[in-house]
Amino acid sequence: MSVSLNQNTLEFIEKFEKIANKKTWTKSELVEKFVQSSFYNEQFESYHSTALEKSIWWAVKRNKNWEMNRSFYLIKAENGYDQGISKENKTFETACIDEAGSLVKTQGFGEGDINLKMIEELNNNEDVIEKGHSMISTISYNRDALIRHLSEHLFEVTMLSLSIRDDGLRDYQLKKGMGENLYFLTESYFRRLGLAKTKYRMGDFITLKAKERLLNQKPSLLVYEHMVPKNIYLNEIRRLALTNELTQEKVHNLLNKYHFICIVTKEEDRLLPSTTMPLDWDGNNPFYRYEETGIEFEPVQYFKTL
């Protein structure tokens, strides 16, 4: 095996995408997996402290089966864990590819045991373990499905708000009411899929400190935080509505670009401006406030009893 860092990380990424147990990964997680793999060489320890991160970034960017963001990477290809409906016996199967490249089917469920519509909306089954008589599934939700759900219904309720004849009530619905509607729709989505019963489990991301407190059952010390203050994009939706320029596509584009939720501690929340982005924000990076304050976060994982 060569000892070229870039070549080794590229080969690692090409293999890892086929055996990964989830689709969304942070850069630090991939670096950790790389160090634990056979592609890592002790020679790399003498390289610059950021060499591994930069090389992982290069490898992911070069690989066509990944989507890149500033703080996380998403596997696009249907490798690693997969899920499907057997047409012959109508059972739901969770499958994965082991490190030897063999297909392993971990569990089958009868047609009446699981909602097929729910299966379509789940992004990926990461793991299935037995606990008593129930099956616990670790999953990552489908963000695209959530954004479609939010944009469709938020557009509908916003257009209905325009028809309210009372000026005061109409203004309320288009201002404070829009934020309440956004939260209600998010909550309804997660509850319908059985992914969360509290807002502190409905995030895209969670900070390391918040994760520790959640595991220690201290949710009162946590905050449900919009990574881009919601007034920034909700005000734009309101402006477009009032000028008769609003479409469902525009709502979808704004939410897809800016609507990310992170679960943070109250101490971390105090470090983040509550209603504004930094003056030097480029208008694109939704994680800029967090990067500026040095707050580290990772994708949330969800658990569902099947």
Side-chain angles (χ1 to χ4, degrees), residues 285-299:
N285 179 9
F287 312 118
Y288 191 62
R289 285 192 306 159
Y290 286 67
E291 293 172 356
E292 285 290 285
T293 54
I295 297 177
E296 296 184 357
F297 54 91
E298 63 183 35

Side-chain angles (χ1 to χ4, degrees), residues 35-256:
V35 172
Q36 296 170 353
S37 74
S38 60
F39 293 92
Y40 182 75
N41 190 292
E42 292 183 356
Q43 177 179 323
F44 301 151
E45 295 180 5
S46 63
Y47 290 16
H48 191 274
S49 60
T50 62
L52 294 185
E53 289 191 355
K54 291 181 178 179
S55 187
I56 287 291
W57 176 87
W58 175 85
V60 171
K61 183 176 181 180
R62 185 165 180 176
N63 188 292
K64 296 181 180 180
N65 293 331
W66 292 70
E67 289 182 358
M68 297 184 63
N69 209 309
R70 290 177 183 265
S71 298
F72 65 94
Y73 304 139
L74 174 68
I75 302 175
K76 294 189 297 182
E78 293 298 327
N79 295 324
Y81 270 80
D82 199 5
Q83 58 187 18
I85 302 295
S86 169
K87 295 181 180 179
E88 295 180 359
N89 55 19
K90 295 183 179 179
T91 58
F92 171 73
E93 296 173 337
T94 300
C96 69
I97 299 174
D98 64 17
E99 292 192 3
S102 301
L103 183 65
V104 179
K105 294 181 179 178
T106 58
Q107 179 65 34
F109 302 94
E111 183 181 23
D113 294 333
I114 190 166
N115 186 305
L116 301 188
K117 183 179 173 90
M118 182 191 77
I119 294 172
E120 294 175 358
E121 294 184 339
L122 296 182
N123 190 2
N124 196 26
N125 260 16
E126 296 174 356
D127 191 22
V128 178
I129 59 176
E130 188 169 357
K131 184 177 182 182
H133 296 291
S134 64
M135 299 299 297
I136 307 293
S137 175
T138 306
I139 62 179
S140 58
Y141 80 98
N142 188 329
R143 173 174 165 80
D144 290 339
L146 171 63
I147 296 300
R148 288 196 303 270
H149 170 81
L150 294 178
S151 59
E152 176 183 349
H153 294 287
L154 191 61
F155 171 74
E156 181 180 19
V157 74
T158 301
M159 298 307 291
L160 286 174
S161 298
L162 290 174
S163 65
I164 297 175
R165 289 180 295 175
D166 184 89
D167 293 342
L169 181 59
R170 182 176 61 253
D171 289 345
Y172 174 86
Q173 286 296 327
L174 290 174
K175 291 180 180 178
K176 186 175 181 180
M178 191 178 294
E180 294 173 348
N181 292 333
L182 181 62
Y183 176 79
F184 175 83
L185 291 168
T186 303
E187 183 182 46
S188 69
Y189 178 84
F190 279 93
R191 285 182 179 270
R192 178 166 56 87
L193 293 183
L195 299 181
K197 295 182 180 179
T198 168
K199 65 181 180 180
Y200 302 120
R201 294 185 182 274
M202 298 193 312
D204 297 282
F205 303 99
I206 186 169
T207 66
L208 304 184
K209 293 180 179 179
K211 182 178 180 180
E212 180 180 357
R213 292 188 181 177
L214 192 59
L215 292 174
N216 291 329
Q217 298 184 350
K218 296 180 179 179
S220 61
L221 301 175
L222 302 178
V223 176
Y224 176 91
E225 212 278 324
H226 293 259
M227 302 185 84
V228 174
K230 65 180 183 294
N231 63 286
I232 292 177
Y233 49 95
L234 292 185
N235 283 346
E236 177 62 10
I237 292 175
R238 175 176 177 271
R239 183 192 70 79
L240 291 169
L242 291 173
T243 56
N244 296 317
E245 300 175 75
L246 189 65
T247 64
Q248 184 176 322
E249 181 181 6
K250 290 180 179 179
V251 176
H252 181 279
N253 291 342
L254 285 166
L255 295 182
N256 191 49

